[in-house]
């Protein structure tokens, strides 16, 4: 058996195993894992340092999951935007393709809590239907493999999916969203990298929420993917009691860059049933962006987004004070040190134009173009 399959098989999935490893009373969580499965890989188990710490909270079932009666199972209305099974077509030019419901670990705050944990991978006939849809929809240029976790597919099935996608001429990008490098680094093998290399451009967005997740093994797994030519991004969920703190978040972003992973999105927690106890205020996310922007490498600043309930898609949120004022004369801007500056609009000969008509820099004289301190 492959090492990664062994590691996955050694994961904690039964309440009584949790008692043995972490001293949790199995009775307290039996009912929860009946509804929402648990899996904790040896790598993740080893990073838990104390009961209730940031890693623990992400993977150990909490009775609060069962006390959430208001929220929806599917707040993003993905099920309504699915033209064929396992495919979500929300945006004009890109789709999600869910290739499995299996994950290396079951995050307690998962947006797809209603689905994950069920056995099996996308079946041949289901893949054929998804491919037929994509072949017909020539506007789709970007497919995001998701789930569940696509990197839990065995090599031959992952290759089958990639090969089928690459048979579609108008498809430009393939993206893979995965928590595998951070939780089951053994899965990142030279063979996997060889497969991935044949189907470029392949991008990966990896799920990381806390700096302690970036162990040396995890960084090595990320490095193998980067060496295989895969541009790596990170998606982080803002979680109460886990990473809702600017200092922790800055350490996470720095650790990601050290692992050759570029922070991509910071998500406000979704309204998914059973995950409400993880939500923070929106201001918490803005505070984190304020603490990063300008204070550290711009590379370390993710886009803070809210995936709008009701299927509105991801909407970016910036602290509102950066753009103090904007009119036809110019913009009043505030920087990270709280200083204000004025950026004048280009001179367009007294003509009034609608905003956003496009670049008009050529007509600008060089003299008065720069930023001026007020
Ligand atoms: C997040 C998401 C995408 C990809 O969005 P990007 O902003 O391009 O990363 C595509 N489809 C759905 C349904 C999504 O939720």
């Amino acid at each position: 058996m492959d090492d990664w399959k062994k590691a996955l098989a050694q994961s904690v999935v039964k309440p009584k195993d949790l008692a043995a490893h972490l001293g949790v009373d199995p009775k307290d969580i039996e009912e929860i894992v009946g509804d929402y499965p648990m899996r904790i890989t040896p790598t993740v188990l080893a990073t838990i340092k104390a009961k209730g710490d940031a890693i623990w909270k992400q993977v150990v079932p909490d009775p609060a999951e069962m006390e959430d009666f208001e929220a929806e199972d599917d707040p993003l209305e993905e099920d309504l935007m699915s033209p064929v099974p396992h495919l979500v077509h929300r945006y004009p030019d890109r789709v999600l393709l869910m290739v499995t419901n299996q994950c290396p670990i079951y995050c307690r705050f998962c947006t797809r809590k209603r689905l994950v944990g069920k056995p099996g991978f996308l079946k041949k006939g289901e893949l054929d239907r998804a491919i037929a849809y994509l072949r017909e929809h020539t506007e789709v240029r970007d497919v995001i493999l998701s789930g569940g976790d696509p990197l839990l597919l065995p090599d031959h099935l992952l290759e089958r999916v990639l090969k089928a996608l690459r048979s579609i001429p108008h498809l430009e990008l393939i993206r893979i969203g995965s928590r595998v490098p951070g939780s089951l680094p053994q899965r990142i093998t030279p063979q996997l990298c060889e497969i991935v290399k044949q189907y470029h451009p392949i991008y990966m967005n990896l799920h990381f929420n806390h700096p302690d997740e970036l162990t040396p093994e995890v960084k090595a797994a990320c490095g193998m993917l980067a060496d295989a030519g895969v541009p790596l991004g990170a998606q982080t969920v803002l979680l109460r009691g886990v990473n809702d703190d600017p200092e922790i978040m800055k350490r996470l972003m720095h650790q990601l860059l050290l692992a050759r992973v570029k922070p991509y999105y910071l998500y406000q927690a979704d309204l998914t049933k059973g995950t409400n106890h993880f939500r923070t205020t929106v201001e918490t996310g803005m505070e984190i962006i304020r603490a990063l922007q300008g204070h550290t490498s711009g590379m370390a600043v993710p886009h803070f987004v809210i995936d709008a309930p009701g299927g509105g898609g991801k909407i970016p949120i910036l602290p509102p004070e950066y753009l103090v004022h904007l009119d036809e004369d110019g913009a009043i801007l505030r920087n990270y040190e709280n200083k204000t500056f004025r950026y004048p609009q280009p001179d367009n000969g007294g003509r009034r134009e609608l905003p956003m008509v496009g670049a008009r820099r050529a007509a600008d004289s060089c003299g008065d173009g720069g930023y001026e301190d007020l």
Side-chain angles (χ1 to χ4, degrees):
M1 207 199 283
D2 298 323
D3 281 352
W4 71 269
K5 288 181 182 160
K6 267 186 228 156
L8 193 63
Q10 286 162 3
S11 301
V12 171
V13 294
K14 295 193 189 109
K16 69 171 172 34
D17 298 339
L18 198 62
H21 287 287
L22 296 172
V24 175
D25 187 343
K27 283 200 298 294
D28 292 346
I29 61 164
E30 232 134 51
E31 188 199 346
I32 311 172
V33 302
D35 282 8
Y36 303 123
M38 163 175 71
R39 178 148 66 200
I40 309 173
T41 57
T43 295
V44 172
L45 194 64
T47 55
I48 296 176
K49 296 194 190 100
K51 204 167 180 162
D53 72 13
I55 311 296
W56 164 294
K57 286 201 174 106
Q58 295 185 60
V59 293
V60 176
D62 184 324
E65 294 172 42
M66 308 301 279
E67 289 154 16
D68 186 357
F69 305 111
E70 303 282 295
E72 314 260 352
D73 279 334
D74 178 21
L76 308 180
E77 298 189 358
E78 290 184 330
D79 295 343
L80 301 179
M81 291 181 289
S82 183
V84 297
H86 310 289
L87 197 126
V88 179
H89 195 171
R90 163 78 191 72
Y91 292 107
D93 66 344
R94 53 212 191 277
V95 300
L96 288 187
L97 177 59
M98 264 82 107
V99 295
T100 174
N101 288 318
Q102 288 282 308
C103 290
I105 54 179
Y106 290 110
C107 305
R108 308 321 299 173
F109 50 86
C110 181
T111 291
R112 304 208 183 101
K113 225 172 153 83
R114 69 189 188 283
L115 298 175
V116 293
K118 292 175 194 148
F121 305 112
L122 192 70
K123 295 187 187 68
K124 175 80 170 57
E126 296 168 331
L127 176 64
D128 291 345
R129 276 189 76 184
I131 296 294
Y133 178 89
L134 293 172
R135 210 179 282 291
E136 229 170 87
H137 286 261
T138 52
E139 73 277 16
V140 177
R141 38 167 291 290
D142 181 1
V143 169
I144 299 144
L145 300 183
S146 182
D149 199 311
L151 293 185
L152 281 197
L153 260 59
D155 287 352
H156 71 282
L157 288 184
L158 185 66
E159 179 148 34
R160 178 190 290 171
V161 173
L162 296 176
K163 195 171 190 170
L165 290 172
R166 280 289 173 234
S167 75
I168 302 170
H170 56 268
L171 197 74
E172 296 172 359
L173 302 186
I174 298 174
R175 292 195 250 174
I176 294 176
S178 178
R179 204 166 180 178
V180 157
S183 58
L184 187 68
Q186 301 85 343
R187 172 69 185 102
I188 311 305
T189 59
Q191 298 88 302
L192 176 73
C193 293
E194 278 311 309
I195 292 172
V196 166
K197 266 186 188 171
Q198 293 170 50
Y199 299 95
H200 275 317
I202 293 188
Y203 285 67
M204 289 193 194
N205 284 316
L206 310 181
H207 183 170
F208 287 104
N209 298 322
H210 192 277
D212 290 354
E213 295 165 28
L214 279 298
T215 64
E217 297 93 309
V218 167
K219 283 186 176 140
C222 294
M224 286 173 69
L225 291 169
D227 284 346
V230 181
L232 300 175
Q235 317 209 68
T236 298
V237 186
L238 179 53
L239 298 167
R240 196 165 97 198
V242 173
N243 58 15
D244 56 341
D245 174 281
E247 275 314 303
I248 291 175
M249 214 49 112
K250 192 191 273 184
R251 274 203 289 134
L252 170 62
M253 300 308 155
H254 289 171
Q255 286 299 316
L256 287 169
L257 290 177
L258 279 166
R260 305 165 71 185
V261 180
K262 161 79 183 81
Y264 178 44
Y265 278 142
L266 171 63
Y267 290 101
Q268 177 72 13
D270 288 330
L271 289 172
T272 308
K273 185 174 183 170
T275 70
N276 206 43
H277 54 295
F278 282 107
R279 293 206 299 135
T280 64
T281 62
V282 176
E283 286 88 337
T284 306
M286 288 199 287
E287 203 48 58
I288 286 163
I289 297 300
R290 264 187 209 108
L292 295 172
Q293 180 67 52
H295 296 277
T296 190
S297 320
M299 294 284 292
V301 188
H303 302 286
F304 176 43
V305 295
I306 301 184
D307 215 333
K314 298 175 187 70
I315 299 176
I317 308 291
L318 270 177
E321 66 273 12
Y322 293 140
L323 184 61
V324 178
H325 181 79
L326 176 67
D327 63 21
E328 60 203 50
D329 294 328
I332 311 292
L333 306 165
R334 194 189 309 274
N335 81 350
Y336 73 104
E337 297 161 303
N338 220 18
K339 292 183 182 150
T340 47
F341 299 84
R342 179 169 177 277
Y343 176 85
Q345 301 275 27
D347 178 9
N348 48 9
R351 279 177 291 117
R352 290 179 63 98
E353 287 184 40
L354 292 171
M356 316 292 227
V357 203
R360 290 162 295 160
R361 300 203 60 142
D364 224 357
S365 71
C366 305
D368 59 359
Y371 296 87
E372 294 164 28
D373 206 343
L374 281 184

